mmCIF file with all atom_site columns, all heavy atoms in Angstrom:
data_model
loop_
_atom_site.group_PDB
_atom_site.id
_atom_site.type_symbol
_atom_site.label_atom_id
_atom_site.label_alt_id
_atom_site.label_comp_id
_atom_site.label_asym_id
_atom_site.label_entity_id
_atom_site.label_seq_id
_atom_site.pdbx_PDB_ins_code
_atom_site.Cartn_x
_atom_site.Cartn_y
_atom_site.Cartn_z
_atom_site.occupancy
_atom_site.B_iso_or_equiv
_atom_site.pdbx_formal_charge
_atom_site.auth_seq_id
_atom_site.auth_comp_id
_atom_site.auth_asym_id
_atom_site.auth_atom_id
_atom_site.pdbx_PDB_model_num
ATOM 1  N N   . THR A 1 299 ? 0.210   -3.635 -9.332  1.00 82.00 ? 299 THR A N   1
ATOM 2  C CA  . THR A 1 299 ? -0.952  -2.755 -9.251  1.00 82.00 ? 299 THR A CA  1
ATOM 3  C C   . THR A 1 299 ? -0.505  -1.310 -9.064  1.00 82.00 ? 299 THR A C   1
ATOM 4  O O   . THR A 1 299 ? 0.513   -1.034 -8.432  1.00 82.00 ? 299 THR A O   1
ATOM 5  C CB  . THR A 1 299 ? -1.868  -3.153 -8.093  1.00 82.00 ? 299 THR A CB  1
ATOM 6  O OG1 . THR A 1 299 ? -1.101  -3.223 -6.884  1.00 82.00 ? 299 THR A OG1 1
ATOM 7  C CG2 . THR A 1 299 ? -2.524  -4.497 -8.357  1.00 82.00 ? 299 THR A CG2 1
ATOM 8  N N   . LEU A 1 300 ? -1.286  -0.395 -9.611  1.00 84.00 ? 300 LEU A N   1
ATOM 9  C CA  . LEU A 1 300 ? -1.039  1.033  -9.439  1.00 84.00 ? 300 LEU A CA  1
ATOM 10 C C   . LEU A 1 300 ? -1.550  1.455  -8.072  1.00 84.00 ? 300 LEU A C   1
ATOM 11 O O   . LEU A 1 300 ? -2.727  1.292  -7.757  1.00 84.00 ? 300 LEU A O   1
ATOM 12 C CB  . LEU A 1 300 ? -1.745  1.817  -10.546 1.00 84.00 ? 300 LEU A CB  1
ATOM 13 C CG  . LEU A 1 300 ? -1.614  3.350  -10.473 1.00 84.00 ? 300 LEU A CG  1
ATOM 14 C CD1 . LEU A 1 300 ? -0.174  3.776  -10.714 1.00 84.00 ? 300 LEU A CD1 1
ATOM 15 C CD2 . LEU A 1 300 ? -2.537  4.005  -11.491 1.00 84.00 ? 300 LEU A CD2 1
ATOM 16 N N   . ASN A 1 364 ? -5.413  3.737  -5.307  1.00 36.00 ? 364 ASN A N   1
ATOM 17 C CA  . ASN A 1 364 ? -6.150  3.265  -6.478  1.00 36.00 ? 364 ASN A CA  1
ATOM 18 C C   . ASN A 1 364 ? -5.948  1.768  -6.632  1.00 36.00 ? 364 ASN A C   1
ATOM 19 O O   . ASN A 1 364 ? -5.107  1.297  -7.372  1.00 36.00 ? 364 ASN A O   1
ATOM 20 C CB  . ASN A 1 364 ? -5.651  3.998  -7.729  1.00 36.00 ? 364 ASN A CB  1
ATOM 21 C CG  . ASN A 1 364 ? -6.583  3.793  -8.891  1.00 36.00 ? 364 ASN A CG  1
ATOM 22 O OD1 . ASN A 1 364 ? -7.411  2.896  -8.883  1.00 36.00 ? 364 ASN A OD1 1
ATOM 23 N ND2 . ASN A 1 364 ? -6.440  4.640  -9.881  1.00 36.00 ? 364 ASN A ND2 1
ATOM 24 N N   . TRP A 1 365 ? -6.743  0.956  -5.887  1.00 36.00 ? 365 TRP A N   1
ATOM 25 C CA  . TRP A 1 365 ? -6.580  -0.493 -5.898  1.00 36.00 ? 365 TRP A CA  1
ATOM 26 C C   . TRP A 1 365 ? -7.227  -1.123 -7.116  1.00 36.00 ? 365 TRP A C   1
ATOM 27 O O   . TRP A 1 365 ? -7.016  -2.298 -7.390  1.00 36.00 ? 365 TRP A O   1
ATOM 28 C CB  . TRP A 1 365 ? -7.186  -1.090 -4.639  1.00 36.00 ? 365 TRP A CB  1
ATOM 29 C CG  . TRP A 1 365 ? -6.459  -0.705 -3.416  1.00 36.00 ? 365 TRP A CG  1
ATOM 30 C CD1 . TRP A 1 365 ? -6.790  0.267  -2.542  1.00 36.00 ? 365 TRP A CD1 1
ATOM 31 C CD2 . TRP A 1 365 ? -5.253  -1.277 -2.926  1.00 36.00 ? 365 TRP A CD2 1
ATOM 32 N NE1 . TRP A 1 365 ? -5.874  0.335  -1.548  1.00 36.00 ? 365 TRP A NE1 1
ATOM 33 C CE2 . TRP A 1 365 ? -4.924  -0.592 -1.746  1.00 36.00 ? 365 TRP A CE2 1
ATOM 34 C CE3 . TRP A 1 365 ? -4.426  -2.309 -3.376  1.00 36.00 ? 365 TRP A CE3 1
ATOM 35 C CZ2 . TRP A 1 365 ? -3.804  -0.912 -1.010  1.00 36.00 ? 365 TRP A CZ2 1
ATOM 36 C CZ3 . TRP A 1 365 ? -3.317  -2.621 -2.634  1.00 36.00 ? 365 TRP A CZ3 1
ATOM 37 C CH2 . TRP A 1 365 ? -3.016  -1.917 -1.468  1.00 36.00 ? 365 TRP A CH2 1
ATOM 38 N N   . ASN A 1 366 ? -8.089  -0.401 -7.821  1.00 37.00 ? 366 ASN A N   1
ATOM 39 C CA  . ASN A 1 366 ? -8.769  -0.985 -8.973  1.00 37.00 ? 366 ASN A CA  1
ATOM 40 C C   . ASN A 1 366 ? -7.958  -0.868 -10.253 1.00 37.00 ? 366 ASN A C   1
ATOM 41 O O   . ASN A 1 366 ? -8.407  -1.259 -11.316 1.00 37.00 ? 366 ASN A O   1
ATOM 42 C CB  . ASN A 1 366 ? -10.120 -0.297 -9.191  1.00 37.00 ? 366 ASN A CB  1
ATOM 43 C CG  . ASN A 1 366 ? -11.121 -0.692 -8.133  1.00 37.00 ? 366 ASN A CG  1
ATOM 44 O OD1 . ASN A 1 366 ? -11.025 -1.772 -7.567  1.00 37.00 ? 366 ASN A OD1 1
ATOM 45 N ND2 . ASN A 1 366 ? -12.063 0.189  -7.849  1.00 37.00 ? 366 ASN A ND2 1
ATOM 46 N N   . SER A 1 367 ? -6.778  -0.292 -10.180 1.00 35.00 ? 367 SER A N   1
ATOM 47 C CA  . SER A 1 367 ? -6.016  -0.008 -11.387 1.00 35.00 ? 367 SER A CA  1
ATOM 48 C C   . SER A 1 367 ? -5.000  -1.097 -11.634 1.00 35.00 ? 367 SER A C   1
ATOM 49 O O   . SER A 1 367 ? -4.029  -1.229 -10.912 1.00 35.00 ? 367 SER A O   1
ATOM 50 C CB  . SER A 1 367 ? -5.300  1.341  -11.243 1.00 35.00 ? 367 SER A CB  1
ATOM 51 O OG  . SER A 1 367 ? -6.254  2.354  -11.025 1.00 35.00 ? 367 SER A OG  1
ATOM 52 N N   . PHE A 1 368 ? -5.229  -1.922 -12.652 1.00 36.00 ? 368 PHE A N   1
ATOM 53 C CA  . PHE A 1 368 ? -4.265  -2.907 -13.129 1.00 36.00 ? 368 PHE A CA  1
ATOM 54 C C   . PHE A 1 368 ? -3.666  -2.396 -14.426 1.00 36.00 ? 368 PHE A C   1
ATOM 55 O O   . PHE A 1 368 ? -4.264  -1.576 -15.111 1.00 36.00 ? 368 PHE A O   1
ATOM 56 C CB  . PHE A 1 368 ? -4.954  -4.250 -13.399 1.00 36.00 ? 368 PHE A CB  1
ATOM 57 C CG  . PHE A 1 368 ? -5.214  -5.031 -12.155 1.00 36.00 ? 368 PHE A CG  1
ATOM 58 C CD1 . PHE A 1 368 ? -6.403  -4.870 -11.471 1.00 36.00 ? 368 PHE A CD1 1
ATOM 59 C CD2 . PHE A 1 368 ? -4.273  -5.915 -11.669 1.00 36.00 ? 368 PHE A CD2 1
ATOM 60 C CE1 . PHE A 1 368 ? -6.656  -5.589 -10.328 1.00 36.00 ? 368 PHE A CE1 1
ATOM 61 C CE2 . PHE A 1 368 ? -4.526  -6.639 -10.528 1.00 36.00 ? 368 PHE A CE2 1
ATOM 62 C CZ  . PHE A 1 368 ? -5.718  -6.469 -9.859  1.00 36.00 ? 368 PHE A CZ  1
ATOM 63 N N   . PRO A 1 369 ? -2.496  -2.892 -14.812 1.00 37.00 ? 369 PRO A N   1
ATOM 64 C CA  . PRO A 1 369 ? -1.990  -2.548 -16.136 1.00 37.00 ? 369 PRO A CA  1
ATOM 65 C C   . PRO A 1 369 ? -2.989  -2.964 -17.204 1.00 37.00 ? 369 PRO A C   1
ATOM 66 O O   . PRO A 1 369 ? -3.519  -4.061 -17.185 1.00 37.00 ? 369 PRO A O   1
ATOM 67 C CB  . PRO A 1 369 ? -0.689  -3.351 -16.225 1.00 37.00 ? 369 PRO A CB  1
ATOM 68 C CG  . PRO A 1 369 ? -0.272  -3.536 -14.811 1.00 37.00 ? 369 PRO A CG  1
ATOM 69 C CD  . PRO A 1 369 ? -1.542  -3.668 -14.029 1.00 37.00 ? 369 PRO A CD  1
ATOM 70 N N   . GLU A 1 372 ? -7.283  0.064  -16.385 1.00 36.00 ? 372 GLU A N   1
ATOM 71 C CA  . GLU A 1 372 ? -7.716  1.131  -15.492 1.00 36.00 ? 372 GLU A CA  1
ATOM 72 C C   . GLU A 1 372 ? -8.784  1.976  -16.161 1.00 36.00 ? 372 GLU A C   1
ATOM 73 O O   . GLU A 1 372 ? -8.706  2.271  -17.341 1.00 36.00 ? 372 GLU A O   1
ATOM 74 C CB  . GLU A 1 372 ? -6.530  2.021  -15.121 1.00 36.00 ? 372 GLU A CB  1
ATOM 75 C CG  . GLU A 1 372 ? -6.913  3.026  -14.054 1.00 36.00 ? 372 GLU A CG  1
ATOM 76 C CD  . GLU A 1 372 ? -5.782  3.993  -13.785 1.00 36.00 ? 372 GLU A CD  1
ATOM 77 O OE1 . GLU A 1 372 ? -4.790  3.901  -14.488 1.00 36.00 ? 372 GLU A OE1 1
ATOM 78 O OE2 . GLU A 1 372 ? -5.947  4.825  -12.918 1.00 36.00 ? 372 GLU A OE2 1
#
Side-chain angles (χ1 to χ4, degrees):
T299 53
L300 178 67
N364 193 343
W365 293 99
N366 288 333
S367 301
F368 281 90
E372 187 186 5

